[in-house]
Amino acid sequence: MDKKTVVSILGFYKNIDEEISLKKQAQDRLKERYYSPIGCIAYDGMPKGKGRSVSPTESAVLNVPEWAAREMAELQQEQQALYQVKKAIRQELSKLPYKQKAIIFMFYLEGLKWVQISARIHYSERQCRNIRRGALAVLGRRFSANKIIAAYIFPEQ
């Protein structure tokens, strides 16, 4: 995997929680619209009809459009895929040596400048850049070897 792809994956990883949250909100809106109670009064102990639903809430739930049910299922699958990708990226990042991991996190995930990074880890800016270059090469090999990361289609950034 080339450097540009690794950098875009790290950028995606930085915002993956927001992506998961957006998918969850969309799914919650659909659930709220089609599965929420209608506001009817429940009469306990009343006789129930056989073979059909008597509650307005039950009738509403049974009449959920197919497209809405499919959309909710797709959103749930996308959330699960994002969780798996996030876990896989985190595992690959955790395998890096400390210096490389620290520089990758500070530069790509925290957005620090080279001056700030070099002051924190007591290396020159040039050394930090060289360490980052090595880390990106290692991550490129590991990301391409990881089945979950290699199979996932990342959005263009």
Side-chain angles (χ1 to χ4, degrees):
M1 200 173 282
D2 64 340
K3 178 182 171 184
K4 183 180 177 184
T5 307
V6 173
V7 170
S8 71
I9 290 173
L10 290 172
F12 181 76
Y13 179 76
K14 181 179 179 180
N15 301 319
I16 200 165
D17 289 327
E18 294 170 9
E19 189 76 25
I20 291 170
S21 176
L22 288 173
K23 303 260 185 229
K24 177 132 180 65
Q25 287 173 3
Q27 183 182 18
D28 288 345
R29 280 193 303 272
L30 282 171
K31 279 183 180 179
E32 183 180 311
R33 182 171 181 189
Y34 291 105
Y35 289 115
S36 65
I38 296 178
C40 58
I41 300 171
Y43 294 105
D44 291 331
M46 297 297 291
K48 306 281 191 246
K50 293 188 177 190
R52 64 181 184 89
S53 66
V54 284
S55 158
T57 303
E58 288 177 15
S59 347
V61 168
L62 293 174
N63 293 323
V64 174
E66 286 183 36
W67 68 268
R70 277 194 312 270
E71 183 76 20
M72 285 184 271
E74 287 173 11
L75 287 168
Q76 181 67 29
Q77 289 173 351
E78 290 172 9
Q79 284 179 39
Q80 291 302 320
L82 286 170
Y83 281 125
Q84 289 176 346
V85 168
K86 179 182 177 181
K87 181 180 174 185
I89 293 172
R90 186 177 45 228
Q91 286 175 343
E92 297 301 334
L93 286 171
S94 69
K95 293 177 185 176
L96 289 174
Y98 175 75
K99 292 175 192 173
Q100 290 180 347
K101 186 182 349 179
I103 289 174
I104 292 295
F105 270 89
M106 285 188 261
F107 188 75
Y108 291 106
L109 304 178
E110 295 177 22
L112 297 180
K113 304 289 182 197
W114 287 117
V115 174
Q116 297 166 317
I117 295 171
S118 65
R120 279 193 184 180
I121 64 171
H122 307 293
Y123 280 104
S124 69
E125 292 179 37
R126 182 73 181 152
Q127 287 173 314
C128 291
R129 287 189 186 111
N130 290 339
I131 293 170
R132 178 197 59 164
R133 188 178 310 116
L136 290 177
V138 170
L139 284 175
R141 288 191 300 275
R142 289 191 179 160
F143 284 173
S144 59
N146 188 307
K147 293 178 183 177
I148 294 172
I149 297 172
Y152 190 80
I153 300 170
F154 291 93
E156 296 295 323
Q157 292 185 354

